[in-house]
Amino acid sequence: MKAWEDKIRRVVPYTPGEQPKRPVIKLNTNECPYPPSPSVEQAMRALDADTLRLYPDTEALPLVKALSAAYGVEEDQIFVGVGSDDVLAMAFMTFFQGEKPILFPDITYSFYDVWAELFRIPYEKVPLDGTFHIGKEDYYRENGGVIFPNPNAPTAIAEDLDFIRDILRHNQDVIVIVDEAYIDFSEKPSAKELLDEFENLLVVQTFSKSRAMAGMRIGYAFGSRELIKAMKDIKYSFNSYTMNLPSQMAGAAAAADQDYLKHTVQKVVATRERTQKRLAELGFSFPKSEANFVFASHKTKPAREIYEALKKKDIYVRYFDKPRIYNYLRITIGTDAQMDQLFDALEKILR
Ligand SMILES: *Cc1c(COP(=O)(O)O)cnc(C)c1O
């Protein structure tokens, strides 16, 4: 062993879903099957390359202003980042640094423990109940902070505002982060409704799923002025110019088109309802989805076998080889035509 080898900071990185190089039916990373708002393409075409000589606005002001107008949140209560992964990483760095463990569900977005390890934050995974629901009482104890997605991933289960309020009431001494990557697909309201009640609440959302812009890398957070200021101080101590100008312009254009967002979400939700019906007929069970994916388990055929058989047919879904969920598939909602191809393939595989 070389002497410097123990100087290397070692981490086990997050493993994203596969991005195959050839065209397949891609139902494995919860992307949107429809294009972004037409106003995004207009904004991209209108971009003058000469403006790229200059550094972009550090606060991403065009985007922040558009988000402020779209959501009725003050500009100084908005933090933007390069995807919500960037926003969440900054939030972990800013808010989770005590001795006590932060709490998050055992079955959840698998980036949380990666950041906790990277930033050396002690953490405890709190088991979901037998039906994959978060037990709110499990979070009524001393901790160094709380984070959970709502709707949760990969379960697709959403909790209502009272549930989140109860968790906040019992956690007034720490920061509570609600990761709302899938909230637009849910009937439940965003926790941003609670911002006036709780100064220790951070609500994180993304353009990657409902706004069909995963490739643009845009995420944002709403919180009290104090939380947002603290995050900006960390960000400017790390890399001031994270979000490039084209992303700021495209993001602002997308945020200004709330009608298109609603329209896209309606299409995905309609296909999701159809998909759940068909999957049930094929012998799958799943929690009722409030996201753009279904977390399904088959009554006889092991999930891994279905996953591999689908892959051979160029249909990619997500499989997690992990305790408690190794017999589940996370299936992203695609277009109706894509889902029909999935159902045809499943009929053959399950015969
Ligand atoms: C997809 C996802 C994110 C990150 O999305 P970005 O593309 O980085 O904005 C964050 N949290 C959850 C739960 C997700 O599923």
Side-chain angles (χ1 to χ4, degrees):
M1 189 175 139
K2 291 162 229 127
W4 45 262
E5 283 190 9
D6 64 350
K7 304 297 182 295
I8 295 173
R9 185 188 287 255
R10 309 245 178 222
V11 287
V12 182
Y14 169 74
T15 350
E18 246 176 291
Q19 296 288 1
K21 299 289 177 284
R22 56 206 169 72
V24 300
I25 296 183
K26 196 167 173 307
L27 309 175
N28 69 336
T29 52
N30 297 345
E31 289 139 332
C32 183
Y34 305 108
S37 158
S39 62
V40 171
E41 187 164 339
Q42 275 171 22
M44 306 284 281
R45 285 185 193 283
L47 191 81
D48 175 359
D50 186 57
T51 57
L52 298 179
R53 287 184 302 106
L54 306 179
Y55 281 104
D57 187 82
T58 54
E59 300 205 57
L61 213 54
L63 176 56
V64 167
K65 280 187 184 300
L67 285 169
S68 172
Y71 291 99
V73 176
E74 295 296 323
E75 288 173 23
D76 55 3
Q77 292 191 261
I78 303 174
F79 178 91
V80 300
V82 183
S84 58
D85 285 342
D86 178 43
V87 176
L88 288 163
M90 288 291 140
F92 267 62
M93 223 193 288
T94 313
F95 303 126
F96 296 158
Q97 42 114 30
E99 312 267 285
K100 291 175 203 152
I102 62 164
L103 305 179
F104 51 82
D106 63 336
I107 300 167
T108 195
Y109 189 36
S110 45
F111 226 134
Y112 299 157
D113 44 13
V114 174
W115 287 313
E117 295 281 348
L118 175 63
F119 300 133
R120 314 212 167 140
I121 301 161
Y123 63 95
E124 236 179 272
K125 296 184 186 183
V126 183
L128 298 180
D129 72 15
T131 59
F132 288 158
H133 280 263
I134 295 175
K136 62 182 177 186
E137 294 82 8
D138 299 338
Y139 294 79
Y140 299 173
R141 58 179 165 108
E142 275 206 19
N143 62 66
V146 172
I147 178 163
F148 58 92
N150 193 53
N152 194 8
T155 64
I157 295 172
E159 303 296 347
D160 60 23
L161 222 46
D162 284 335
F163 180 103
I164 293 169
R165 188 184 280 110
D166 285 342
I167 289 189
L168 279 153
R169 282 208 181 117
H170 287 85
N171 286 281
Q172 310 239 23
D173 301 336
V174 295
I175 313 294
V176 176
I177 303 176
V178 184
D179 179 353
E180 293 190 336
Y182 303 102
I183 194 69
D184 293 333
F185 301 105
S186 168
E187 308 249 283
K188 312 263 164 54
S190 163
K192 97 180 174 46
E193 304 300 325
L194 301 173
L195 285 174
D196 290 338
E197 258 174 273
F198 299 97
E199 287 192 312
N200 60 323
L201 165 65
L202 192 79
V203 179
V204 180
Q205 298 188 351
T206 176
F207 280 46
S208 297
K209 278 78 186 225
S210 53
R211 287 197 195 266
M213 292 173 75
M216 212 56 177
R217 313 305 303 128
I218 303 174
Y220 55 100
F222 298 137
S224 62
R225 284 173 188 85
E226 214 174 325
L227 293 195
I228 297 303
K229 163 84 169 61
M231 285 183 76
K232 285 182 182 170
D233 287 347
I234 293 288
K235 176 201 154 96
Y236 299 145
S237 313
F238 191 76
N239 179 355
S240 310
Y241 302 108
T242 49
M243 186 177 286
N244 63 58
L245 184 70
S247 294
Q248 294 185 24
M249 304 318 285
D257 197 354
Q258 291 295 88
D259 286 345
Y260 185 87
L261 169 68
K262 285 199 198 93
H263 174 73
T264 303
V265 165
Q266 273 169 11
K267 280 199 288 185
V268 173
V269 166
T271 307
R272 176 186 77 200
E273 297 310 305
R274 215 187 119 229
T275 298
Q276 293 189 121
K277 248 197 184 142
R278 196 72 194 92
L279 287 176
E281 287 165 6
L282 287 164
F284 286 91
S285 54
F286 41 84
K288 184 181 154 8
S289 170
E290 295 208 41
N292 66 341
F293 57 88
V294 179
F295 195 50
S297 179
H298 192 259
K299 60 178 188 236
T300 50
K301 193 120 180 139
R304 182 196 285 278
E305 286 178 28
I306 302 173
Y307 160 75
E308 279 164 2
L310 285 173
K311 198 167 173 181
K312 282 208 190 101
K313 294 177 184 287
D314 276 355
I315 300 176
Y316 283 47
V317 298
R318 193 79 195 265
Y319 175 71
F320 301 96
D321 192 5
K322 289 187 173 173
R324 294 187 75 186
I325 59 169
Y326 58 82
N327 207 20
Y328 282 79
L329 299 172
R330 193 195 67 190
I331 305 168
T332 303
I333 303 301
T335 60
D336 280 312
Q338 288 177 320
M339 299 323 274
D340 287 340
Q341 283 181 270
L342 170 75
F343 305 146
D344 286 350
L346 285 173
E347 271 172 23
K348 293 192 183 102
I349 291 163
L350 298 168
R351 205 155 34 206

